[in-house]
Amino acid sequence: DFQYGQRELDTIEVFLTKSARGNRIACMYVRCVPGARYTVLFSHGNAVDLGQMCSFYVGLGTRIGCNIFSYDYSGYGISSGRPSEKNLYADIDAAWQALRTSIEKVSKISSPVLIIHGTEDEVIDFSHGLALYERCPKAVEPLWVEGAGHNDIELYSQYLERLRHFISQELPSQRA
């Protein structure tokens, strides 16, 4: 049972990232202390998931004066894949990368934002596009280009179509 109120719920951010082994990893960032200097990367034990640990994270972070970042292993919670030693290593690496690349400034953007990212980007992992989308308060419906890599995304027809729609429909309606 979650023993906190709306104020605490507003400090919790949940998103998906992708591991090097191709699994979607559920992540939870709990901002327990405004302006906290440190964030603890917490690997929970087995037989639980982020939902079960959420109250614990809020209480722990508040008591130690840090934010808490955690993730579900492959096969736990809503994370895809199966539990295995290899997946475990890939999961912690994906969580660490997601935490390191959290782009705090993106939450301050006040204009509409369109995120377009290829699902097979070999230079900037797809998880970065997902993380940006989750953090942008003014993000419009993103375009995830299935099969697109880092250098060929503009060759997909939906790329140009989505940009045109954003510029002609979504930008003008946001300014009204």
Side-chain angles (χ1 to χ4, degrees):
D1 290 337
F2 191 74
Q3 55 192 338
Y4 298 97
Q6 189 62 45
R7 186 171 57 101
E8 288 83 10
L9 282 173
D10 291 342
T11 68
I12 299 169
E13 180 180 350
V14 179
F15 62 93
L16 294 172
T17 192
K18 189 175 179 184
S19 78
R21 295 181 53 86
N23 294 322
R24 302 250 187 241
I25 305 301
C27 297
M28 178 181 285
Y29 191 26
V30 185
R31 288 180 174 84
C32 303
V33 181
R37 186 170 179 190
Y38 300 106
T39 298
V40 173
L41 175 55
F42 193 101
S43 297
H44 63 69
N46 69 343
V48 295
D49 63 24
L50 291 175
Q52 295 165 305
M53 295 297 293
C54 188
S55 287
F56 172 77
Y57 296 149
V58 171
L60 176 66
T62 302
R63 284 189 206 84
I64 64 174
C66 292
N67 295 326
I68 306 291
F69 185 92
S70 191
Y71 61 99
D72 274 339
Y73 309 103
S74 294
Y76 284 78
I78 62 167
S79 293
S80 66
R82 296 175 26 152
S84 73
E85 185 176 355
K86 287 181 180 179
N87 280 341
L88 176 69
Y89 295 132
D91 297 346
I92 186 69
D93 284 342
W96 171 242
Q97 290 303 319
L99 176 59
R100 278 192 35 214
T101 59
S102 294
I103 303 164
E104 292 295 324
K105 293 178 182 176
V106 79
S107 66
K108 295 176 175 69
I109 296 173
S110 61
S111 61
V113 175
L114 170 62
I115 306 288
I116 300 177
H117 204 113
T119 61
E120 301 300 324
D121 192 326
E122 65 284 345
V123 177
I124 300 173
D125 191 79
F126 176 66
S127 63
H128 294 270
L130 284 171
L132 283 172
Y133 174 69
E134 294 289 336
R135 288 174 176 78
C136 283
K138 295 283 189 165
V140 298
E141 185 67 17
L143 174 61
W144 310 128
V145 183
E146 197 68 38
H150 189 71
N151 293 314
D152 64 351
I153 195 166
E154 67 278 358
L155 301 177
Y156 289 77
S157 62
Q158 63 266 46
Y159 175 82
L160 188 56
E161 292 167 12
R162 184 65 184 97
L163 279 172
R164 282 185 181 139
H165 181 76
F166 176 68
I167 292 166
S168 67
Q169 303 292 317
E170 292 168 307
L171 276 178
S173 70
Q174 292 285 327
R175 301 216 184 267

